[in-house]
């Protein structure tokens, strides 16, 4: 049942705020984590809980807490031990996004090449503004999209380790 929920959340295109104690579930469905820092500020970190821990972060919880078993639990040590686990594979959502980026980047590069061919025509800038400006705007948009896609690809590859 949890896998079905994860798949539905991954497919959802809107924005959700998810609160869960299940760290693996969060790693599988979230794209960023909001963390209340010691100074009272809320910081956003790209990736899931494990990605946040890989950055050397850990929960700031009281050093000891009464456990139902009657034993004292050191949460700092527990979270630090979790940080030392081997790298975890990307969540389903991030892996799908990473897999789609090379195709998107390739398509954007092809679109840019076609637009640059148009602007390279010696008579291009002799045409009316109403003809040239849309091409230049489209070229700028495609270049911006390409830059964003390349940055995201690098970011996801770094997360992957």
């Amino acid at each position: 049942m949890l896998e079905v929920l994860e798949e539905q959340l991954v497919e959802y295109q809107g924005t959700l705020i998810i609160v869960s104690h299940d760290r693996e579930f969060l790693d599988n469905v979230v794209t960023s984590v909001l963390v209340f820092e010691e100074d009272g500020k809320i910081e956003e970190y790209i990736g899931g809980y494990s990605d946040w821990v890989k950055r050397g972060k850990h929960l700031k919880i009281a050093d000891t807490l009464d456990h139902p078993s009657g034993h004292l639990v050191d949460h700092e040590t527990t979270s630090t031990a979790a940080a030392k686990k081997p790298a975890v594979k990307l969540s389903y959502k991030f892996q799908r996004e990473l897999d789609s980026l090379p195709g998107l980047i390739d398509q954007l590069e092809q679109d840019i090449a076609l637009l640059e061919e148009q602007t390279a025509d010696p008579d291009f800038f002799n045409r009316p503004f109403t003809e040239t400006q849309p091409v230049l705007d489209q070229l700028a948009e495609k270049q911006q999209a390409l830059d964003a896609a390349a940055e995201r690809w690098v970011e996801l590859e770094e997360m992957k380790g």
Side-chain angles (χ1 to χ4, degrees), residues 38-109:
E38 288 179 3
D39 58 6
K41 292 183 182 176
I42 300 174
E43 294 291 333
E44 181 177 8
Y45 296 90
I46 301 299
Y49 175 80
S50 296
D51 299 309
W52 176 73
V53 170
K54 287 177 193 172
R55 291 183 175 96
K57 305 292 183 174
H58 58 277
L59 298 175
K60 294 287 184 184
I61 300 176
D63 286 341
T64 58
L65 181 69
D66 287 325
H67 190 268
S69 67
H71 297 98
L72 295 175
V73 178
D74 182 343
H75 289 282
E76 292 275 335
T77 304
T78 304
S79 62
T80 303
K84 294 180 182 176
K85 288 183 181 177
V88 181
K89 69 178 187 170
L90 287 177
S91 70
Y92 175 76
K93 184 174 185 173
F94 283 143
Q95 187 61 53
R96 277 193 45 212
E97 183 182 1
L98 180 61
D99 292 344
S100 71
L101 284 171
L104 173 63
I105 290 170
D106 185 49
Q107 182 61 54
L108 288 167
E109 288 174 340

Side-chain angles (χ1 to χ4, degrees), residues 1-66:
M1 191 66 170
L2 188 58
E3 289 176 12
V4 172
L5 175 61
E6 285 179 10
E7 287 178 23
Q8 292 298 311
L9 291 174
V10 167
E11 296 295 323
Y12 182 71
Q13 295 297 311
T15 301
L16 293 172
I17 295 178
I18 299 172
V19 178
S20 176
H21 69 282
D22 187 334
R23 295 170 183 173
E24 183 177 347
F25 170 73
L26 291 173
D27 282 341
N28 290 338
V29 298
V30 303
T31 57
S32 65
V33 178
L34 298 173
V35 178
F36 290 90
E37 298 290 353
E38 288 179 3
D39 58 6
K41 292 183 182 176
I42 300 174
E43 294 291 333
E44 181 177 8
Y45 296 90
I46 301 299
Y49 175 80
S50 296
D51 299 309
W52 176 73
V53 170
K54 287 177 193 172
R55 291 183 175 96
K57 305 292 183 174
H58 58 277
L59 298 175
K60 294 287 184 184
I61 300 176
D63 286 341
T64 58
L65 181 69
D66 287 325

Side-chain angles (χ1 to χ4, degrees), residues 120-132:
D121 182 327
D123 293 326
F124 179 78
F125 289 101
N126 292 331
R127 295 182 197 155
F129 177 80
T130 56
E131 288 181 30
T132 59

